Amino acid sequence: MREHLLQEFWRLVRFSAVGGIATLVHIGLAMACVAYLGLSPIAATTVGFLGAFAFSYVGHFKFTFMAPGRYRDYIAKFAISSLASYVVSTGSVWLATSVLGIDYRPAMLALAVIVPLCNYVVNRFWVFLHPGEARLAEPQANR
């Protein structure tokens, strides 16, 4: 049990590292596209997002979750989870600011904690779940 928790801790550390670097890729690419290519901030953010998406996918596939199989085995679920995360994040900020009248700053700070944790759970137990791990996640009666 302790070994399992330690493995999960280090997986979460790897997830955080890949996510942090992906954030830098996103912002760096977007800023470079505005500064050097003259793209609008909206277009540049899209380019940055796509670069971060690619980096994040490869990083989580190879480094965070060390998934078996081919890249294409997980890409659809990763894209769905990324799109869902975007919709939930954007919708939550809209709900907090436009409907509930909460200042955007605490709403975004809350998302900065909640969204990565939810993304970890979704990526860990759905997107990159190894075929044999589904049995390990189920409670066993003989323990």
Side-chain angles (χ1 to χ4, degrees), residues 65-96:
F65 299 106
M66 299 174 207
R70 302 165 301 203
Y71 285 109
R72 70 179 183 201
D73 294 341
Y74 304 90
I75 189 72
K77 289 196 287 186
F78 188 78
I80 290 166
S81 72
S82 295
L83 179 61
S85 178
Y86 170 77
V87 168
V88 168
S89 296
T90 305
S92 297
V93 170
W94 172 81
L95 178 68

Side-chain angles (χ1 to χ4, degrees), residues 13-92:
V13 168
R14 292 190 305 268
F15 181 85
S16 299
V18 169
I21 295 168
T23 299
L24 294 174
V25 167
H26 185 160
I27 301 305
L29 269 175
M31 292 177 86
C33 285
V34 170
Y36 301 113
L37 300 178
L39 293 181
S40 73
I42 301 295
T45 298
T46 301
V47 171
F49 173 81
L50 293 173
F53 177 88
F55 177 86
S56 185
Y57 179 68
V58 171
H60 291 318
F61 177 84
K62 285 292 202 184
F63 180 64
T64 302
F65 299 106
M66 299 174 207
R70 302 165 301 203
Y71 285 109
R72 70 179 183 201
D73 294 341
Y74 304 90
I75 189 72
K77 289 196 287 186
F78 188 78
I80 290 166
S81 72
S82 295
L83 179 61
S85 178
Y86 170 77
V87 168
V88 168
S89 296
T90 305
S92 297

